Amino acid sequence: MTTFPQGFVWGAATASYQIEGAAREDGRGPSIWDVFSHTPGKVADGHTGDVACDHYHRYREDVAIMEDLGLHAYRFSVSWPRVLPGGTFNAAGLDFYDRLVDELLARRISPVATLYHWDLPAELDWRDRDTAEKFAEYAEIVHHRLGDRVATWTTLNEPWVSAFVGYGSGRHAPGVTDPAAAFTAAHHLLRAHALGAQALRAAGADEISVTLNLTPMAGDPEVTTLIDGLANRLFLDPVLRGSYPDDVRAHIAKFTGLDLGDLPYEPIDVLGVNYYTIARLAADPAAPGHAEYPGSEGIAWLPPHGVPTEMGWEVIPSGLEDLLLRLSRDYPGTPLMITENGAAYDDAVKDGQVADTERIAYLDGHFRAALRAIEQGADLRGYLVWSLLDNFEWARGYHKRFGLVRVDYESLERLPKASAHWYREVIARNGLD
């Protein structure tokens, strides 16, 4: 592979509820995902994050694996209900992240902290306006403890998923199915991002970010414009320009009487980009609409081209290249970081190894697409692969494996896959010294 620019950051990412376990230890309170996963029928085979990968107890082993891979950075999320269970400060909850950050720095791995990756304390709700203010208070508390060692702070991970999968289709926690609730949650999440960013800025945070899952569209613009607005511009414009696009604002007004003019704004230093696939769309008068895109009646989602991943997602690296160039064109001056990209495959252990050649091909194609975007002017600063470990894949439970490292969910043994060894070689040839 052609060499990436000097200073390019390579790493991996995880999320607290997906890997930590220790759901009831050291004062941690329940999250909406604890409640959801323990509700019969909500998660495949009744799986929960109670134990997950037991990273809470095995973090030193996991950080040693990161060091062996040569990672420059590790993106993790802080568990809000571990820090503020029931709204009360729990010092023991932050102690874990103290230990994790110190272990990362001891092995020369830069910590990248995400404050919210979907595990909202169970007593809170994104339909409530004051949840945004509570998030800002939480951000300030975490920064006060870790800000002397953590340079990069991400407010939210994928607010589109939190809003429209959590409150639109109900496939994710808290399992609400109401278009008005989905738009209300989206608005309050955007408020939380801005207020949290303001709190972090006031506290002296070095670098502030937000991570958005962004989906390029394929199809006639008359069909794709609405879905692009709901999937992408609904979040991009408020975060990077301070207001909603006019067409999105008008669409939201069809479902809710929210005062959209009360949206605060705080510039960010880098935009986190999560990319997995594209959406292929076509007009179809008989299409009933998609619950995660309220008002999408008459638009059909077409099946993927080629062989999809285990998630059913089309493998299309050119979509990443197009996305990075679009962001550079439409939102100039915004540094970019790929904060998630990866694939789930049906990994099999044979002779003590996992020869996940499909994942290697997937990552290789996307790395090359990212490099092409850089060569055309995209200000891409780094690439964090999803995920370091196989983990709890939300409503799909433990059935989908994204990890560079295989986790045996009975013994909890870690086994680096062929993709992990390949990634080590990529890192050694590219970017930072």
Side-chain angles (χ1 to χ4, degrees), residues 15-21 31 33-34 36-38 42-54 117-118 172-173 386-387 389-402 407 409:
S16 52
Y17 190 75
Q18 293 182 270
I19 67 166
E20 283 180 4
S31 74
W33 270 97
D34 292 285
F36 190 78
S37 65
H38 281 269
K42 296 298 185 181
V43 174
D45 292 334
H47 292 172
T48 74
D50 288 0
V51 177
C53 305
D54 197 31
H117 198 133
W118 306 354
H172 281 191
W386 185 269
S387 173
L389 304 172
D390 289 339
N391 53 51
F392 176 80
E393 185 48 41
W394 307 110
R396 293 176 172 88
Y398 295 99
H399 294 291
K400 306 301 181 184
R401 294 180 176 271
F402 276 87
V407 177
Y409 294 119

Side-chain angles (χ1 to χ4, degrees), residues 1 3 17 44 55 80 153 208 233 272 289 316 325 370 410 426:
M1 185 182 296
T3 304
Y17 190 75
H55 175 73
W80 189 347
W153 292 85
I208 298 172
R233 292 180 291 113
I316 179 164
L325 293 175
E410 293 185 3
V426 171

Side-chain angles (χ1 to χ4, degrees), residues 105-116:
L105 293 174
R107 296 178 182 271
R108 298 193 301 175
I109 300 168
S110 297
V112 177
T114 298
L115 287 167
Y116 182 68

Side-chain angles (χ1 to χ4, degrees), residues 29-30 80-81 83-90 121-124 134 137 141:
W80 189 347
V83 175
L84 288 168
T88 302
F89 176 63
N90 176 38
E123 68 275 7
L124 300 181
K134 291 176 180 177
E137 294 167 4
I141 288 169

Side-chain angles (χ1 to χ4, degrees), residues 317-397:
S318 61
L320 176 59
E321 178 183 357
D322 294 342
L323 174 60
L324 294 172
L325 293 175
R326 173 201 175 170
L327 293 170
S328 300
R329 179 186 69 248
D330 293 354
Y331 305 93
T334 303
L336 306 172
M337 171 75 75
I338 295 172
T339 39
E340 286 185 28
N341 173 250
Y345 287 108
D346 187 18
D347 302 326
V349 180
K350 185 176 181 180
D351 299 327
Q353 298 180 347
V354 179
D356 56 336
T357 54
E358 291 174 306
R359 182 172 291 105
I360 292 172
Y362 178 98
L363 291 173
D364 182 71
H366 285 78
F367 290 174
R368 292 177 186 276
L371 183 58
R372 291 195 299 271
I374 292 172
E375 291 170 342
Q376 294 173 75
D379 185 8
L380 181 63
R381 306 289 179 86
Y383 208 119
L384 309 182
V385 171
W386 185 269
S387 173
L388 177 70
L389 304 172
D390 289 339
N391 53 51
F392 176 80
E393 185 48 41
W394 307 110
R396 293 176 172 88

